[in-house]
Amino acid sequence: GFAKIDHHRALRRGVPEVIFCQGKTPEQVARITRRMLEKGVNIMGTRADLKVYEEVRKIAPDAEYYKDARIFAVKREKIVQNKGTIAVVSAGTSDIPVAEEAAVTAELLGNKVERLYDVGVAGIHRLFMNMEVLKRAQVIIVVAGMEGALASVVAGLVDKPVIAVPTSVGYGANFSGLSALLTMLNSCAGGLTVVNIDNGFGAGFAAHQINRLGGQADGCALS
Amino acid sequence: GFAKIDHHRALRRGVPEVIFCQGKTPEQVARITRRMLEKGVNIMGTRADLKVYEEVRKIAPDAEYYKDARIFAVKREKIVQNKGTIAVVSAGTSDIPVAEEAAVTAELLGNKVERLYDVGVAGIHRLFMNMEVLKRAQVIIVVAGMEGALASVVAGLVDKPVIAVPTSVGYGANFSGLSALLTMLNSCAGGLTVVNIDNGFGAGFAAHQINRLGGQADGCALS
Amino acid sequence: GFAKIDHHRALRRGVPEVIFCQGKTPEQVARITRRMLEKGVNIMGTRADLKVYEEVRKIAPDAEYYKDARIFAVKREKIVQNKGTIAVVSAGTSDIPVAEEAAVTAELLGNKVERLYDVGVAGIHRLFMNMEVLKRAQVIIVVAGMEGALASVVAGLVDKPVIAVPTSVGYGANFSGLSALLTMLNSCAGGLTVVNIDNGFGAGFAAHQINRLGGQADGCALS
Amino acid sequence: GFAKIDHHRALRRGVPEVIFCQGKTPEQVARITRRMLEKGVNIMGTRADLKVYEEVRKIAPDAEYYKDARIFAVKREKIVQNKGTIAVVSAGTSDIPVAEEAAVTAELLGNKVERLYDVGVAGIHRLFMNMEVLKRAQVIIVVAGMEGALASVVAGLVDKPVIAVPTSVGYGANFSGLSALLTMLNSCAGGLTVVNIDNGFGAGFAAHQINRLGGQADGCALS
Amino acid sequence: GFAKIDHHRALRRGVPEVIFCQGKTPEQVARITRRMLEKGVNIMGTRADLKVYEEVRKIAPDAEYYKDARIFAVKREKIVQNKGTIAVVSAGTSDIPVAEEAAVTAELLGNKVERLYDVGVAGIHRLFMNMEVLKRAQVIIVVAGMEGALASVVAGLVDKPVIAVPTSVGYGANFSGLSALLTMLNSCAGGLTVVNIDNGFGAGFAAHQINRLGGQADGCALS
Amino acid sequence: GFAKIDHHRALRRGVPEVIFCQGKTPEQVARITRRMLEKGVNIMGTRADLKVYEEVRKIAPDAEYYKDARIFAVKREKIVQNKGTIAVVSAGTSDIPVAEEAAVTAELLGNKVERLYDVGVAGIHRLFMNMEVLKRAQVIIVVAGMEGALASVVAGLVDKPVIAVPTSVGYGANFSGLSALLTMLNSCAGGLTVVNIDNGFGAGFAAHQINRLGGQADGCALS
Amino acid sequence: GFAKIDHHRALRRGVPEVIFCQGKTPEQVARITRRMLEKGVNIMGTRADLKVYEEVRKIAPDAEYYKDARIFAVKREKIVQNKGTIAVVSAGTSDIPVAEEAAVTAELLGNKVERLYDVGVAGIHRLFMNMEVLKRAQVIIVVAGMEGALASVVAGLVDKPVIAVPTSVGYGANFSGLSALLTMLNSCAGGLTVVNIDNGFGAGFAAHQINRLGGQADGCALS
Amino acid sequence: GFAKIDHHRALRRGVPEVIFCQGKTPEQVARITRRMLEKGVNIMGTRADLKVYEEVRKIAPDAEYYKDARIFAVKREKIVQNKGTIAVVSAGTSDIPVAEEAAVTAELLGNKVERLYDVGVAGIHRLFMNMEVLKRAQVIIVVAGMEGALASVVAGLVDKPVIAVPTSVGYGANFSGLSALLTMLNSCAGGLTVVNIDNGFGAGFAAHQINRLGGQADGCALS
Ligand SMILES: Nc1ncnc2c1ncn2[C@@H]1O[C@H](COP(=O)(O)O)[C@@H](O)[C@H]1O
Ligand SMILES: Nc1ncnc2c1ncn2[C@@H]1O[C@H](COP(=O)(O)O)[C@@H](O)[C@H]1O
Ligand SMILES: Nc1ncnc2c1ncn2[C@@H]1O[C@H](COP(=O)(O)O)[C@@H](O)[C@H]1O
Ligand SMILES: Nc1ncnc2c1ncn2[C@@H]1O[C@H](COP(=O)(O)O)[C@@H](O)[C@H]1O
Ligand SMILES: [Mg+2]
Ligand SMILES: [Mg+2]
Ligand SMILES: [Mg+2]
Ligand SMILES: [Mg+2]
Ligand SMILES: [Mg+2]
Ligand SMILES: [Mg+2]
Ligand SMILES: [Mg+2]
Ligand SMILES: [Mg+2]
């Protein structure tokens, strides 16, 4: 026996059910997917490798796979779109998988996303050349490993909610992301909040909940 | 010589300048206050004990002191009020100073705040009796020490941005707040973001930035 | 040369000898098993993969294998049954192997076990729908990874001995189970005691020793 | 405002309400005590120094003070007595305050307690001379700092529930109790469960819940 | 008996002998000072509070005290001056004591020092307004607590040796400077090296050794 | 999409662009290399295994591979040579890859390098027999794992900038280099600065920036 | 180039040169071995797997392999034998490789060794049945993982030098041997000293140096 | 009630009973002392401040106080003297209290002690000038804080048992002695064993047990 499925969907309005695939066999994921699909909901699976996706496609041939984000999605319901934009800013090439997990999560939850990658602190001028992306956004997600200083810099430049995602990218005294995590938690730049190391999903989800407060694309009020 | 003062106030519209008083002498704080007051701005000082307040009152007789929050404030400008409400939920009696730091910060930044204290996980029924406070809020701050499980429970009940503040309350394997911090970072309840241990100010500030997305009390648009 | 076998069996009345198979070769486990069987006792092996089981079956064709629990057992003696029931509650799908290690251990030691799986804090309503399982039990084992808050919640609802098992399920600031371990140690809910990360066996064993105090199924007194 | 009081007392049958005094002013503790006393219940306060006790005595002149245990108690209701005995075993002289916190807690909850102090591992023969105390007990609490090895030794000698309390006694690589905590969590002696560093109260409370399973002194059944 | 004195002074050419006063009594410091003065050398004492200074002044009435830096100095020999300048950049008001320890150390070793304080990452524009200080310097010392990101930002802007000094300023997940230390060690900005938490002296000393490579003010060659 | 390339090369005068290959596929590295080569600059890739090198050679047949250093280089521009020498001292055989990363980095940046390997603290006489290498150098890099004491010893013998590189070589309480890192940070020998565990590149880069202060081989001044 | 060989052999009188093979290729080990053999000394290699041994045998056909200890040895000189005996006591089956590393090291250095394995704390009576082994020994090595309490128990029973070796055996809050290491360092049993986690070699070497003080088998005095 | 006294003195032949005074009141120490004196044994108290000593002198007017070592002693029996010498080597002035704890402990247990203080690694030449002290000793105790490298250096120079005592002297990344502890545990110099941070007593005690193996001053054999 395994994962019971949450039937309390009243509040969700198209928000996909989420399966955390890490530590589950492709068969387990497929079985959970099948049971969920019977209710006609949207589904997304995070930390899904290709094998998981292939097993899921046997059950749902319309499943899509976001390779960089390691996410699969099955879309069966329309999802309400939020008005504001979420910016996803990332520091280095190796942080991209986590940044994509955040970006694709936010998109699947009904948000416009603008990506600004490879703007690490060592090359801070690249950030300044793209300030308009930060200005356009309602919420900003900053993804950075190693010393994670990018989050402080961004939050120091803008006056908006910034969600920081430390990544495990780095080596040595990085201690698998601890370094970036502590940097972000200790930031003296106001308005910064933090999620778990490598938790792109959590950042995308929280950014969506914040972005929703700014209203929906079609103007429908938030109850 | 010490703390230079930020004159870039275009974006701030009444938002107070903030002085972090911990590790500063009452005289240092008073001197910073005087220089800031010359510009006619609002001021708040966090981690301020009574001695700091008394020194500040010599410079600004209209300074107010929020004892539980360890905050002083000098109000010289009108501050724009946000429409939505911020709920501050806290677990135990000893968490109140941090909860008050969050609540008073949010109020001074122009937000309505509802407090729901002493609803720790061990007495979870008390949380359920007050669900309407959670429902009314746009953003929720959860303040908890020891095991910090309250944040997960709250985030599991609502579909809104939840900011978790671990406190250093506890002893032994609490390791001065590490326990609550890790609990909150590892929460599997979606939409939870975390600030530093005991950082009530940071949570109040971030909650304000989020709440502002829901519009201002007087209906003025957000540029 | 390796593991000497404990011949002091006076107190044990059917309680199986236990082999911790992790870090031993299938051949080592089989050899220990053979020597134990010469004394006609019950045997159980924990952390046993299929290869271990297959090697053991050559020595004891009646050996049984509990796949999810990673336990094999050879039953040669009758084991005294305790009167009370042990509930094993677990948070997520990935915690099931540890939960099963606890549950099967308790069963092999002569206890009735009721399982209540996938009732993690994020979906707390599922726990409330099954309160009668908690009420029926004499002792409760709670198995949870990530933030481990479930243990606090359960211990806050009941007035019985609760044994918490943190699991290494999670990632990032989970630090291989440290997060859940600290959460559980710092719980402010009374009556909670804790075993090592992933130590389902220890929890099952301790729960058995506690359950035994409530008397045996056949009414025989405890000397 | 502070600590709300739990009025759900149906299940408690004389079990005292508990106040954790650490981090509260004597005045706060006295005020909580007064409100509780209005309901006619028993009260105990842990981590209470003499100043707290003196303030409480103004409200409740019949309050008693257990100096070594740092506990005060106000007894207004009769408490049901359990049949079995709880043994409290401690390693060194400096561990006595924590051992007394456990012992007095258990007594106030209605249990007979036998104390066996200063039987640290370095002088293991002293433990062996007092084996009958261990034999008489239903549940054993072991309190030890420094390396905490005593818990393993005791659990290896008996076939009963053993609750280990690591203390912060020691210095250097003791890391304020971490050493003893890890020792106890890693014990290979079956039936050992662990509470937080210095948490004598938690151990006494859990031991009471276990001891209760063996029946009440007056023979009344447990619903 | 205590600290023997190093008589090997051939290489030193005016470089003061250094006494680390922390953990020594004023009397011990004064006695060490007296013995050193007999050799006619320069002396500096770090981590020296006023009491230490007063005791030293009894022995050396010409001793000077740098209050912010917590350093006393007795100058008896001429010290060779280096040609280049050392910049000391610091993030917040509370980092000033460590910054001054670095700056005064460098000055006493024969270097010109330019100070640029309170240019923390949250107010990054203040750093940009003072870029010419960075440009003028041969070596840069960056002193920062909390998240310590300033060091990365500075090293990303210049192409010179940057020595980072993490400070213990902060609270919570700062873990007494660990956060800033890890940030700095993990910086991806080239040319950054790090000294111990709060080690202003070490940074000043290393910066001096580096600055010396650029030649002496009077043009004398370096053997 | 991935790594943008820095076109700001005014300051660099032949300094190679650097690619950190760890965590990138050979194809990603090759693509970055191709784009960089279009600008006619020098390139070096660190943490590059043979597969990376082979892929790069398809794009740049003149690429060279430094096997022990795990570095590849493509030289298209002349690089200015510094006058002084950098000594790279290492403790044990297993530290050589990190020492070579430092040495080859320094060479590719235009420095003469002298290697002194296998002079660990346990065999300290071997260091003394080679003192002239230390004397000839302007800057010294010390690479050591396990207890890392070599850095202190070297810095105690010389009066020059010493950059310490802790390595992850060792086991047990070495905690993947933490031991050596802490040793080096706590050294009481003046003039020692530290880089991240295993960060040979960072040490070579910083040593180059320092060595440059001593002037260029062809006598050209440093602007 | 790699490991230089120590030619200072005056003091050694047959003591083998030691090669730490972990992290070296079989070819590197063989090359070091060949160079050493030219001087006619004894050699031992620790952490040597079968591949290393096979490569060494090509150079030294008389090389012997101690499989459990993961040690190879080439004996070319006579080694002086110490008079006293070293006891190696170990807790569990999985600790045997480390215990054997200690035992074989001591034997190769010229000591009689008595092994007493599988006498863990959970089965403490087995230790008592073999007290004569402890009594016969001059020095005792105790090897234990998990909670490591055995070292304290042994040191509490005897009045002799006891060297404790924590092993990385265990899981969860064992943190790869940290638990046993801290236990042993905090032991309140006098005369206990500790080596690194899994460092059987270091324990065997130190025990040899101690045992030598008791005199040599042939009666030759120790200069 | 408190500390029971060990009457098993058969093996001890003059070895004093030891009281660990830290965390005990002067009255508690005095009471333990009185009970011990009734048996006519020698007594020593470690971590004893002046107040403890004064209280003890009321009971034993012949008690002596070793101020630097924080030890008091009452000598009533003759103690057997060992033949060999123990050297106590220490790094810095602030390490002296721990070094003295080791030295005085060893003296009170019947050993000749030679002290060699302030020979830290930064001034390594001072160690070399005193090599004859190391040569004369049978056992060497090395006491060092900060980076603790002295222990490795000493053990690399001699071929004798070396006991390393890390001290908590230092600051920042010293983490209260952790740095020195890890350095010493990871030393690659053979024959080094380690005791707890600041545990001078333990080192003195272990050194005595080792030194005893070399025979007694009066030639009496060791049974
Ligand atoms: N990448 C992720 N990181 C953290 N939490 C996740 C992630 N993906 C999904 N989740 C959470 O895990 C829950 C599903 O867990 P499960 O029942 O094990 O599939 C979802 O409700 C999400 O809240
Ligand atoms: N309680 C607090 N915790 C964390 N950060 C704070 C707190 N109070 C103020 N701050 C931040 O500290 C800055 C002021 O620091 P300072 O210049 O040292 O007074 C403010 O701009 C805030 O961003
Ligand atoms: N081995 C290394 N360790 C640390 N940082 C490095 C290393 N190699 C290159 N870098 C830095 O990483 C940057 C390139 O990172 P990337 O854009 O991911 O290739 C370079 O500018 C260097 O500053
Ligand atoms: N400074 C010390 N550090 C560690 N252990 C000590 C110290 N002094 C005494 N001891 C040990 O503590 C025991 C006495 O503890 P106690 O019964 O609490 O006085 C002695 O038998 C010694 O083994
Ligand atoms: Mg901001
Ligand atoms: Mg939620
Ligand atoms: Mg409960
Ligand atoms: Mg037992
Ligand atoms: Mg730079
Ligand atoms: Mg030097
Ligand atoms: Mg002993
Ligand atoms: Mg040696």
Side-chain angles (χ1 to χ4, degrees), chain A:
Chain A
F2 54 97
K4 287 169 197 172
I5 297 160
D6 191 338
H7 294 270
H8 301 254
R9 310 211 53 267
L11 298 163
R12 296 200 170 237
R13 304 162 310 127
V15 168
E17 300 283 349
V18 186
I19 305 169
F20 180 61
C21 304
Q22 194 171 297
K24 302 198 177 88
T25 64
E27 290 68 34
Q28 284 182 312
V29 175
R31 241 177 312 160
I32 299 175
T33 303
R34 184 172 21 206
R35 268 193 288 151
M36 283 176 171
L37 285 180
E38 285 159 16
K39 293 175 296 158
V41 302
N42 293 337
I43 293 170
M44 62 181 280
T46 64
R47 306 287 164 95
D49 57 25
L50 244 155
K51 279 183 193 151
V52 162
Y53 172 56
E54 270 150 26
E55 200 66 30
V56 165
R57 226 174 15 177
K58 295 181 189 161
I59 265 92
D62 57 332
E64 289 166 58
Y65 189 57
Y66 302 82
K67 200 182 125 202
D68 283 350
R70 297 157 305 166
I71 286 176
F72 77 82
V74 191
K75 296 173 196 161
R76 299 280 163 95
E77 282 186 309
K78 260 200 131 161
I79 188 155
V80 180
Q81 295 297 310
N82 292 327
K83 229 169 27 191
T85 300
I86 295 170
V88 179
V89 181
S90 94
T93 307
S94 319
D95 299 320
I96 290 178
V98 178
E100 278 299 302
E101 189 180 283
V104 171
T105 295
E107 287 171 341
L108 292 172
L109 291 164
N111 301 277
K112 269 169 297 183
V113 171
E114 275 202 86
R115 287 156 173 87
L116 182 51
Y117 289 175
D118 270 303
V119 294
V121 157
I124 210 165
H125 53 279
R126 290 183 264 178
L127 181 67
F128 296 144
M129 290 185 230
N130 291 282
M131 285 291 292
E132 70 288 350
V133 176
L134 302 185
K135 281 191 191 129
R136 272 197 296 271
Q138 287 258 79
V139 196
I140 300 166
I141 294 170
V142 183
V143 179
M146 302 184 94
E147 90 270 54
L150 183 64
S152 281
V153 173
V154 169
L157 291 169
V158 301
D159 196 26
K160 291 170 180 173
V162 176
I163 298 169
V165 192
T167 74
S168 55
V169 168
Y171 61 86
N174 167 286
F175 297 123
S176 309
L178 180 66
S179 165
L181 172 63
L182 295 184
T183 300
M184 289 164 170
L185 285 169
N186 284 287
S187 176
C188 33
L192 199 67
T193 59
V194 185
V195 297
N196 195 6
I197 297 163
D198 290 335
N199 191 2
F201 168 76
F205 193 99
H208 157 69
Q209 286 185 324
I210 294 170
N211 195 28
R212 210 166 46 170
L213 299 180
Q216 275 59 44
D218 43 304
C220 73
L222 206 98
S223 64

Side-chain angles (χ1 to χ4, degrees), chain F residues 17-153:
Chain F
E17 300 283 349
V18 186
I19 305 169
F20 179 61
C21 304
Q22 193 171 298
K24 300 198 178 90
T25 63
E27 289 69 32
Q28 284 183 311
V29 175
R31 242 176 311 161
I32 300 174
T33 303
R34 183 171 24 204
R35 270 193 285 151
M36 284 176 171
L37 285 181
E38 285 159 17
K39 293 174 296 158
V41 303
N42 292 336
I43 293 169
M44 62 181 280
T46 64
R47 306 286 165 95
D49 56 25
L50 244 155
K51 279 182 194 152
V52 162
Y53 172 55
E54 270 150 25
E55 200 66 30
V56 165
R57 229 178 8 181
K58 294 181 191 163
I59 264 94
D62 57 331
E64 289 167 58
Y65 188 57
Y66 301 83
K67 200 180 125 201
D68 283 351
R70 295 156 307 166
I71 285 176
F72 76 82
V74 190
K75 296 173 197 161
R76 299 279 163 95
E77 282 186 309
K78 261 201 130 161
I79 189 156
V80 180
Q81 296 296 310
N82 293 325
K83 230 170 26 193
T85 300
I86 295 170
V88 179
V89 180
S90 95
T93 306
S94 318
D95 298 321
I96 290 178
V98 178
E100 278 299 302
E101 188 180 281
V104 172
T105 295
E107 287 170 343
L108 291 173
L109 291 165
N111 301 278
K112 270 169 297 181
V113 171
E114 276 203 85
R115 289 154 171 87
L116 183 50
Y117 290 175
D118 270 304
V119 294
V121 158
I124 211 165
H125 54 278
R126 289 183 266 177
L127 181 67
F128 297 143
M129 290 185 230
N130 291 283
M131 285 292 290
E132 70 289 350
V133 177
L134 302 185
K135 280 190 193 133
R136 273 196 296 270
Q138 286 259 82
V139 196
I140 300 166
I141 294 170
V142 182
V143 180
M146 301 184 93
E147 90 270 54
L150 182 63
S152 281
V153 173

Side-chain angles (χ1 to χ4, degrees), chain F residues 121-124 128 146-150 152-153 156-157 170-175 178-180 182-190, chain H residues 121-124 128 146-150 152-153 156-157 170-175 178-180 182-190:
Chain F
V121 158
I124 211 165
F128 297 143
M146 301 184 93
E147 90 270 54
L150 182 63
S152 281
V153 173
L157 290 170
Y171 62 88
N174 167 286
F175 298 123
L178 181 66
S179 165
L182 296 184
T183 300
M184 289 164 170
L185 286 169
N186 285 286
S187 175
C188 32
Chain H
V121 158
I124 210 164
F128 297 143
M146 302 184 93
E147 92 268 54
L150 183 63
S152 281
V153 173
L157 291 169
Y171 61 87
N174 167 283
F175 298 122
L178 181 65
S179 164
L182 295 185
T183 300
M184 289 162 171
L185 285 169
N186 283 287
S187 175
C188 31

